[in-house]
Amino acid sequence: MPGTSPDGAAGSFDPAAPYRVSESVSLRPEPFGALVYDFVTRKLSFLKTPELVEVVRGLEHHPDARAAVEAAGVPPAQHEAYLRALAGLLRSRTIVAR
């Protein structure tokens, strides 16, 4: 896949591409969203809304990031904000290309 490295990390986010949660990442549900822990980097971060957690968990079940956002029921006016959030999660390697 162009723009990706052998470990699945991408150089830039493409909403039309397929993604999944990194194998080194664990998501722990919380009332506000989820705790994100990367066992390789030992980095702790947060997903700040339950809707974003649903999008992230759904990535592997949809053909691309846009479809995952739509399937999670995110209002159309918020799609771009969620796609920007996914781009940040790709940069931090919480999600990876598949």
Side-chain angles (χ1 to χ4, degrees):
M1 170 181 271
T4 61
S5 65
D7 66 357
S12 64
F13 179 74
D14 177 1
Y19 296 94
R20 64 173 172 77
V21 175
S22 172
E23 291 178 3
S24 67
V25 168
S26 175
L27 300 178
R28 186 176 94 186
E30 295 290 340
F32 60 81
L35 291 173
V36 179
Y37 184 74
D38 188 320
F39 289 95
V40 172
T41 64
R42 299 172 69 182
K43 179 181 173 189
L44 179 65
S45 56
F46 306 93
L47 298 181
K48 296 180 181 178
T49 68
E51 295 81 9
L52 183 55
V53 175
E54 186 173 343
V55 170
V56 170
R57 287 191 187 275
L59 286 170
E60 69 182 283
H61 304 292
H62 297 284
D64 58 50
R66 276 193 202 284
V69 170
E70 291 172 9
V74 174
Q78 295 179 5
H79 283 195
E80 289 305 313
Y82 276 76
L83 293 172
R84 282 192 304 272
L86 291 173
L89 293 173
L90 180 66
R91 282 190 302 275
S92 69
R93 295 181 176 237
T94 298
I95 64 172
V96 295
R98 59 174 167 94

